[in-house]
Amino acid sequence: MRKIFFLTAALCISMLYAQDTNRQAAVEQSEASSDKNDNNRFEISKQLDIFNAIVKEVEMFYVDSIDIQKTIRRGINSMLSGLDPYTEYIPESDMDGFKFLTTGEYGGIGAYIKYRDGGTVITEPFEKMPAADAGLKAGDVILAIDTVDTRFLSSDKVSELLKGVPNTKMKVKVQRPGEKKPRTFELARKKIVVDQVVYYGVYGDNTGYIYLSGFKEKSAQEVKAAFEDLKNNHNIKSLILDLRDNGGGLLESAVQIVNFFVPKGKEVISLKGKNSQSDRTYRTYNEPIDTLIPLAVLINGSSASASEIVAGALQDMDRATLVGQRSYGKGLVQSPRNLPYDGKLKVTMGKYYIPSGRCIQQLDYTHRNDDGSVAAIPDSLTSVFYTANGRPVRDGGGIRPDFEVDDEKLPAMLYYLFSDRDYIVFDYVTDWVVKHKTIPAVEDFVYTDDDYEQFKTYIKGKNFEYDRQSSNALKQLKDVAKFEGFLDEDSVLFATLEEKLKPNLDRDLVKYEKDIRRMLSAEIVKRYYYQSGEVQQNLKGDETLQKALEVLKDDDLYLATLKKQ
C-alpha cells in the first residue's frame, strides 16, 4: 500500500513538474517571440528613420533639383524587386490599369495604341468595340482627339484622352497609310470588356475547342457559355481547353473553371503563408456541368499561375489529360493590400498546393545566388506525389504534361523580325491590307508563294539587321581575349567564328520560310478577323492540337492515361 502511495505521489510530482516545465517553456518561448517582435519593430523604425533622413538630406543638399516622387518610387521598386517579380507597388495613378488587369474592363474605344516615329498609332482594334465599329484600323496614326492635337503627345496622354465615361462622344482624326487626306471618325466611348475566351469551335471528331487567354472576373462565365453552346448546339463528344500562353490571373476564376468538370466539395488548392491567418483551402462549391466528358488541357512554357492551377488540379484529380510542354512553374499567390493615398501593394502572401499536395514553384527567390540571380530547382531535387488514381507526378518546375509535344524553338531572326522595335512586319502587313480590301474566310485563307516573294523583296529593302546579341557577345569575347593576350594567337579562330555568325538574310529567308509564312499569315488574318481569326489561323497544322485530338479519339488510350501506371 505504501509503495502504491509513494508511486502515486511520485507520478503526481512528475506530472506537476512536467506541467511546470511546459509552462516555463511556453513562457520562455512567448518571451523569445515577444523579444523577436520587439527587435523587428525597433529595426523597422530604425531603418525608416534612416530612409526618411536620407530623403530629406538629398532633397535639401543634392547639387541638382530632384523629382522626389520618382526618386522614392525607384527606391520602392528596387526594394520590392529584390523579393520576387510579382510583389509590386501600385500608386493611385496606376489603379485604372490594375483594375483592367483584374476585370478586363474599362471605359474607352477598345484598341491598343503605341507611340512610334513621332506619333501614336492604333496597333490593334478589338472586335465589336467602338474603334472597330467606327472603321478605325491598325496602322492609323492619331492626329487629334476632339480639339486636342495629339501628334506630339505620349501614348499615355493619348490613352487618357481616349478613355472616359461610357456613352460620351468624341471625334478622332487619323492619317491612314496609303491616303493623302486625313479621316475623321465620330464614335462614343463605351464600357470595354475584353473577352478572355478569344475563340471556340469544333475540331476533329466532334471535339469542342476553347481558347482562354486569361483569368479575369468573368472568365469562368465565358468558359461556361462557350462549353454549353458547344455541348447543346454542336453535340460535342469531348473537349479541349487551350491554356497555352495564358499567364494566369484571378485564383477564384481558376477554381470556378475546375468546378465545371469535377463534383462539388472537391479540394482544388490550399494556400499556405507566413501567418496561419493567410492559410486557406479552396473547394468546388457548385454543382458541375459535366464530370464525364473526355477532357484535354493544352499547356506550354508560358502557361502560368491560374493556368497551372486548372491544369494541375485536373491532372491530380485524373479528370483531364494534359498535352503540350511543361508549364512555367509559378506556385506563388499574390493579394492586394490597401495603402495610404489610395495605392495598393500587390504582395506575395504564400505558396499554393494542388490536390496531390505538390507545389509547382520553379524558382526559389529566398535563396539567391551571390550575383542576385535565382536558380531553378533541378529535376533531381523534386519529389514524387500521386494523383487520385495513384499516378506519379512531381513538384517544382511546373506542370508536366501527360503527352509532351516538342516545342519548336523559333530562331532569333524571327524575334527581331516580329518585334515592335522596327515595325517592319507591322508596316508590311499594313501595306498588304491596303492592297487587299477583303480576304476569304479563315479556313480558306492562303498566303501565296507570290506574296512571300514580294515580302522577301520588301524586307531586303529595309536594311533589316538581326542576330545582334551574338555579334555583341562575340565583340565582348574579343575584348576579353585581347585584354588577356590571346587575340593574336586565336585571330583566325575569331575570324572564322565572326564569318559564321554573320547574318545571311537570303539564306535565312529560305531556311525559315515555313515559320515566317505562318506568322505573317496570322498577322494578316488578325487585321480582318481580329484575335479570334488569329487563333484560328495559328491552329492550322498545330501539332499539339492534333495530338490532343488523337488522344481524345482513342478511348482506350485516354482512359489508360488516367489510370494508375
Side-chain angles (χ1 to χ4, degrees):
M1 187 74 176
R2 185 178 296 174
K3 288 183 179 179
I4 295 175
F5 172 78
F6 281 120
L7 183 62
T8 304
L11 183 60
C12 289
I13 292 170
S14 176
M15 291 174 65
L16 289 170
Y17 176 76
Q19 291 175 358
D20 186 61
T21 302
N22 288 340
R23 279 196 213 96
Q24 183 64 27
V27 169
E28 291 175 355
Q29 185 176 6
S30 176
E31 289 176 348
S33 177
S34 177
D35 289 343
K36 183 178 179 182
N37 289 335
D38 288 342
N39 288 335
N40 284 342
R41 282 193 288 269
F42 170 75
E43 193 62 32
I44 291 172
S45 179
K46 172 185 173 182
Q47 296 303 326
L48 288 177
D49 283 344
I50 293 172
F51 182 81
N52 186 47
I54 289 173
V55 171
K56 288 182 177 179
E57 295 294 319
V58 168
E59 196 277 331
M60 289 180 65
F61 297 110
Y62 185 70
V63 62
D64 294 320
S65 60
I66 62 172
D67 186 321
I68 289 295
Q69 183 176 352
K70 288 184 178 179
T71 301
I72 294 180
R73 179 72 184 272
R74 279 200 305 270
I76 293 172
N77 292 343
S78 179
M79 174 183 68
L80 298 181
S81 66
L83 302 177
D84 62 49
Y86 315 110
T87 298
E88 60 179 322
Y89 166 55
I90 304 158
E92 180 186 9
S93 58
D94 294 346
M95 287 307 299
D96 285 344
F98 178 71
K99 182 180 178 182
F100 173 66
L101 288 175
T102 55
T103 65
E105 299 177 357
Y106 70 97
I109 66 170
Y112 290 133
I113 60 174
K114 188 162 287 188
Y115 185 86
R116 60 162 295 196
D117 299 335
T120 297
V121 179
I122 294 175
T123 57
E124 184 178 349
F126 305 153
E127 187 174 11
K128 298 178 182 178
M129 293 299 160
D133 289 346
L136 290 166
K137 296 179 180 294
D140 287 347
V141 181
I142 301 175
L143 304 178
I145 298 173
D146 290 326
T147 59
V148 180
D149 187 337
T150 61
R151 289 174 297 175
F152 306 105
L153 298 181
S154 68
S155 58
D156 288 340
K157 292 293 184 182
V158 175
S159 179
E160 290 178 12
L161 293 170
L162 291 173
K163 292 177 181 177
V165 178
N167 299 320
T168 55
K169 295 183 179 181
M170 63 191 305
K171 291 183 179 181
V172 179
K173 184 179 180 182
V174 302
Q175 181 63 59
R176 177 156 296 173
E179 298 182 0
K180 294 181 179 180
K181 293 183 178 180
R183 293 190 183 201
T184 299
F185 295 85
E186 293 188 15
L187 58 163
R189 300 176 181 89
K190 66 180 291 188
K191 183 179 180 180
I192 306 300
V193 181
V194 180
D195 291 338
Q196 302 304 299
V197 172
V198 178
Y199 166 74
Y200 68 93
V202 180
Y203 286 83
D205 188 16
N206 288 336
T207 296
Y209 169 91
I210 299 174
Y211 179 76
L212 182 67
S213 64
F215 289 81
K216 312 290 187 188
E217 285 185 350
K218 298 181 180 179
S219 292
Q221 298 174 33
E222 292 179 37
V223 171
K224 181 180 180 182
F227 178 48
E228 289 182 335
D229 181 39
L230 290 168
K231 186 177 179 181
N232 298 329
N233 300 321
H234 299 275
N235 301 313
I236 60 169
K237 306 301 180 186
S238 56
L239 178 68
I240 294 172
L241 178 62
D242 193 344
L243 300 180
R244 290 176 294 177
D245 301 318
N246 183 325
L250 298 180
L251 184 154
E252 290 81 2
S253 292
V255 175
Q256 291 176 46
I257 290 172
V258 172
N259 196 168
F260 296 154
F261 307 105
V262 301
K264 181 180 179 180
K266 289 285 186 179
E267 180 179 319
V268 179
I269 67 163
S270 60
L271 306 183
K272 296 181 181 178
K274 178 191 292 184
N275 304 312
S276 59
Q277 295 93 330
S278 302
D279 296 352
R280 185 175 176 183
T281 298
Y282 288 79
R283 299 179 181 275
T284 54
Y285 50 85
N286 291 321
E287 293 300 327
I289 301 175
D290 193 326
T291 60
L292 299 176
I293 189 169
L295 178 62
V297 179
L298 310 187
I299 58 174
N300 65 7
S302 297
S303 303
S305 188
S307 292
E308 295 174 295
I309 292 173
V310 172
L314 292 174
Q315 185 182 52
D316 283 359
M317 295 180 193
D318 298 300
R319 180 61 188 89
T321 183
L322 272 52
V323 184
Q325 297 87 42
R326 186 190 296 197
S327 65
Y328 181 80
K330 180 178 181 287
L332 305 176
V333 176
Q334 289 72 46
S335 178
R337 306 286 299 175
N338 293 328
L339 295 175
Y341 302 101
D342 298 321
K344 286 186 183 294
L345 174 68
K346 183 164 72 73
V347 60
T348 298
M349 299 283 286
K351 295 180 179 179
Y352 69 78
Y353 298 80
I354 47 182
S356 64
R358 56 180 169 149
C359 176
I360 51 87
Q361 177 63 25
Q362 179 171 214
L363 300 176
D364 184 3
Y365 294 104
T366 59
H367 298 92
R368 292 179 180 267
N369 299 321
D370 292 339
D371 61 357
S373 62
V374 182
I377 300 172
D379 289 347
S380 59
L381 296 182
T382 59
S383 302
V384 176
F385 292 77
Y386 295 92
T387 69
N389 288 340
R391 295 188 297 142
V393 289
R394 305 192 77 89
D395 66 353
I399 304 291
R400 296 162 176 81
D402 302 302
F403 295 92
E404 189 152 358
V405 179
D406 288 339
D407 184 20
E408 291 186 20
K409 300 297 183 184
L410 292 177
M413 173 194 181
L414 270 72
Y415 288 104
Y416 291 115
L417 187 60
F418 286 84
S419 73
D420 290 339
R421 174 172 175 170
D422 298 319
Y423 287 92
I424 290 176
V425 167
F426 183 86
D427 290 341
Y428 165 77
V429 173
T430 299
D431 291 343
W432 195 97
V433 170
V434 169
K435 298 170 185 174
H436 300 78
K437 299 303 180 185
T438 61
I439 62 171
V442 179
E443 55 268 25
D444 299 322
F445 174 75
V446 176
Y447 185 70
T448 67
D449 294 340
D450 287 342
D451 287 328
Y452 190 66
E453 288 300 319
Q454 292 175 26
F455 173 75
K456 287 161 66 176
T457 301
Y458 173 88
I459 204 74
K460 290 174 187 178
K462 292 293 181 178
N463 297 319
F464 171 57
E465 295 180 358
Y466 56 104
D467 283 351
R468 299 161 190 153
Q469 290 185 6
S470 57
S471 298
N472 291 336
L474 181 60
K475 183 179 182 301
Q476 292 176 7
L477 182 60
K478 286 176 68 176
D479 290 342
V480 172
K482 182 178 181 181
F483 175 77
E484 296 183 346
F486 296 117
L487 186 59
D488 291 339
E489 59 189 77
D490 290 331
S491 59
V492 176
L493 177 63
F494 275 107
T496 303
L497 186 57
E498 197 168 30
E499 184 62 31
K500 192 167 186 177
L501 291 176
K502 187 181 295 182
N504 186 325
L505 186 59
D506 287 317
R507 176 199 65 198
D508 291 344
L509 285 172
V510 174
K511 184 177 181 179
Y512 304 123
E513 178 179 349
K514 179 182 175 183
D515 291 324
I516 296 173
R517 290 180 66 155
R518 177 174 56 82
M519 295 176 73
L520 284 173
S521 298
E523 289 294 323
I524 289 171
V525 167
K526 183 166 65 172
R527 296 294 183 96
Y528 298 88
Y529 297 107
Y530 304 96
Q531 287 183 312
S532 63
E534 180 185 21
V535 173
Q536 292 178 70
Q537 182 65 31
N538 281 326
L539 289 175
K540 294 180 180 179
D542 187 321
E543 294 183 5
T544 302
L545 174 64
Q546 294 305 317
K547 184 63 180 179
L549 291 170
E550 174 190 323
V551 173
L552 291 173
K553 187 177 180 180
D554 188 334
D555 292 340
D556 293 336
L557 176 61
Y558 176 78
L559 293 174
T561 302
L562 300 179
K563 289 182 179 178
K564 184 175 180 179
Q565 299 171 0

